[in-house]
Amino acid sequence: MSEIVFQDVTKVYPGERVALDHLTITIARGEFFSLVGPSGCGKTTALRILAGLEEPTGGRVHIGGRDVTDIEIHQRNLGIITQENLLLQHRSAGGNIGFPIEGLRRRTRIDARARVEFEAAGLGIGHLLDRKPATLSEGERRLVQLARAIISSPSVLLMDEPLAFLEAQMRARLHTAIRQIHDERGMTIVLVTASQHDAMALSDRIGVLIDGVLHQIGSPHDVYSRPATAAVARFFGEPSMNVLAADVLGSSPAEGTQLEILGQVVTMWTPLLADYVGRSVLVGVRPEDVVIGAEASRGIEAHVHATEPLGSATLTEVSTLDGPTLSCRLPGSAPPIGTVLDIGLRPERLHLFDPATELAFLHPPARR
Ligand code: ATP
């Protein structure tokens, strides 16, 4: 059953800025859905429209089977963590967490203090209830915000960058807490984030938004291993895929199809390239599928211009004589800047995109 529906939602801000272009998404009850995309792609706008903080220019929004497009935020029964709904500084952490159920307490005489203590204990912040927000760490404040967002047991929880600017350990703690809330309470969660890492770690499905247009919806594994468009390929993955133009030279059943990429000729065995002979295609290659040295026989000359050691491997940016730079994930320690490498692309690991539509038409088998 669907819990949330964006139906053809468009948002045009003053100045003709199209932030969302006919966005249609259906999110199932109990699903953990993340909307990701580069800065300015319209993610926050989509969440604000869902929350009732922003009106769409066109289209409808449904929550729990009800059209809520014209309904006020407080009638939508949502838990919200946005960049605006910060904690009230003059209240204690406990006062902040209990704030949403204050009216409820008067009407139903629920034991608000017990509810606050219950939510706080669940998130491991029971000892912080009497402290003012200013005396808490950034991570502790986020946990207080989370407790406040779930205390009235909303069926839907919306979160805009709840993990931004946290160090790794606190991030991991919040990951666990958020995932636990989702799994134990069956809440539908919509997360908006620029962090693919968070989206991959937490979500059942991911929607990729680029320039206000939804390019793909799929499982984290699907979006990573089968990007639907070249734009998704250029965005998704840390670092993302290299996308390069290639000329399709010739094709025969006996000799396969030859593509020239950055001066190197590679052979691919797929009938899907036959129609592109004499034209170009876009090829995508993940940094881990760029090889060097002997494996790159008759390779592409490339100059190292930046490196980032990862421990067992090094992320290396190289520039090629033809111009494009490539990201490579090379085994071992960092090569010195300026080193000339012989690099190659594994033909069996290439993704192919149509150059006109940028739609993918071939993916390599996913890695296990
Ligand atoms: P970020 O990750 O940087 O927060 P985002 O993907 O959440 O970006 P939005 O905040 O939804 O993007 O903004 C989408 C586009 O709409 C941007 O180009 C932004 O400048 C523009 N925009 C957002 N709010 C307004 C506004 N109130 N008035 C005019 N333009 C706006």
Side-chain angles (χ1 to χ4, degrees), residues 31-38 195-197 199-201 203-210 214-241 286 288 351 353 360 362-364 366-367:
E31 187 171 11
F32 198 130
F33 188 90
S34 294
L35 205 49
V36 301
S195 163
Q196 299 163 35
H197 176 75
M200 295 275 285
S203 321
D204 298 319
R205 283 192 310 156
I206 292 175
V208 186
L209 199 58
I210 295 171
L214 187 70
H215 277 234
Q216 184 167 10
I217 292 186
S219 68
H221 181 261
D222 232 31
V223 175
Y224 183 81
S225 54
R226 303 175 64 80
T229 66
V232 174
R234 286 188 197 100
F235 167 72
F236 208 77
E238 288 174 353
S240 59
M241 205 181 272
R286 288 244 169 249
E288 54 272 30
H351 299 249
F353 304 89
L362 183 83
H363 297 290
R367 284 206 165 86

Side-chain angles (χ1 to χ4, degrees), residues 1-287:
M1 185 164 172
S2 63
E3 181 73 18
I4 294 168
V5 180
F6 285 91
Q7 193 184 321
D8 226 11
V9 171
T10 293
K11 178 69 187 181
V12 184
Y13 285 113
E16 302 298 298
R17 171 71 193 152
V18 180
L20 291 177
D21 190 358
H22 298 279
L23 179 68
T24 295
I25 304 178
T26 301
I27 299 170
R29 179 159 297 173
E31 187 171 11
F32 198 130
F33 188 90
S34 294
L35 205 49
V36 301
S39 180
C41 71
K43 327 180 271 296
T44 296
T45 300
L47 200 81
R48 287 174 58 81
I49 288 174
L50 186 54
L53 293 162
E54 195 81 61
E55 269 184 51
T57 316
R60 311 299 299 174
V61 177
H62 297 251
I63 300 176
R66 191 164 64 123
D67 187 331
V68 297
T69 318
D70 305 314
I71 287 179
E72 297 276 321
I73 176 170
H74 57 270
Q75 293 177 325
R76 295 191 183 195
N77 186 26
L78 303 167
I80 305 176
I81 302 179
T82 64
Q83 286 152 8
E84 294 98 348
N85 72 341
L86 303 172
L87 297 173
L88 302 167
Q89 293 301 318
H90 61 282
R91 285 184 172 230
S92 64
N96 270 283
I97 295 171
F99 186 63
I101 56 169
E102 275 180 4
L104 209 61
R105 185 186 57 193
R106 266 179 243 118
R107 283 202 306 279
T108 61
R109 301 216 183 134
I110 61 161
D111 186 346
R113 184 71 197 178
R115 283 284 289 279
V116 168
E117 281 171 5
F118 172 78
E119 296 297 2
L123 292 169
I125 50 170
H127 58 296
L128 302 176
L129 291 179
D130 296 329
R131 302 249 300 263
K132 291 273 166 57
T135 70
L136 300 175
S137 74
E138 188 53 39
E140 290 165 343
R141 279 196 285 271
R142 305 283 176 92
L143 287 162
V144 172
Q145 272 185 295
L146 185 56
R148 183 178 62 179
I150 60 174
I151 195 161
S152 52
S153 304
S155 56
V156 175
L157 178 60
L158 309 182
M159 297 187 288
D160 190 352
E161 296 288 7
L163 306 166
F165 311 117
L166 295 179
E167 53 73 41
Q169 231 173 344
M170 185 48 98
R171 223 179 163 84
R173 183 170 161 196
L174 265 144
H175 269 193
T176 308
I178 292 170
R179 193 68 222 188
Q180 209 166 345
I181 287 166
H182 172 262
D183 294 349
E184 287 174 3
R185 306 188 192 204
M187 253 180 221
T188 308
I189 298 187
V190 183
L191 169 71
V192 154
T193 179
S195 163
Q196 299 163 35
H197 176 75
D198 293 342
M200 295 275 285
L202 290 167
S203 321
D204 298 319
R205 283 192 310 156
I206 292 175
V208 186
L209 199 58
I210 295 171
D211 279 342
V213 175
L214 187 70
H215 277 234
Q216 184 167 10
I217 292 186
S219 68
H221 181 261
D222 232 31
V223 175
Y224 183 81
S225 54
R226 303 175 64 80
T229 66
V232 174
R234 286 188 197 100
F235 167 72
F236 208 77
E238 288 174 353
S240 59
M241 205 181 272
N242 301 291
V243 179
L244 306 159
D247 293 321
V248 184
L249 303 177
S251 183
S252 75
E255 293 181 358
T257 305
Q258 286 72 46
L259 287 93
E260 187 175 334
I261 312 167
L262 300 175
Q264 187 190 40
V265 176
V266 300
T267 299
M268 291 185 74
W269 296 90
T270 167
L272 297 175
L273 274 169
D275 286 349
Y276 289 90
V277 174
R279 298 197 286 143
S280 65
V281 286
L282 294 175
V283 299
V285 60
R286 288 244 169 249

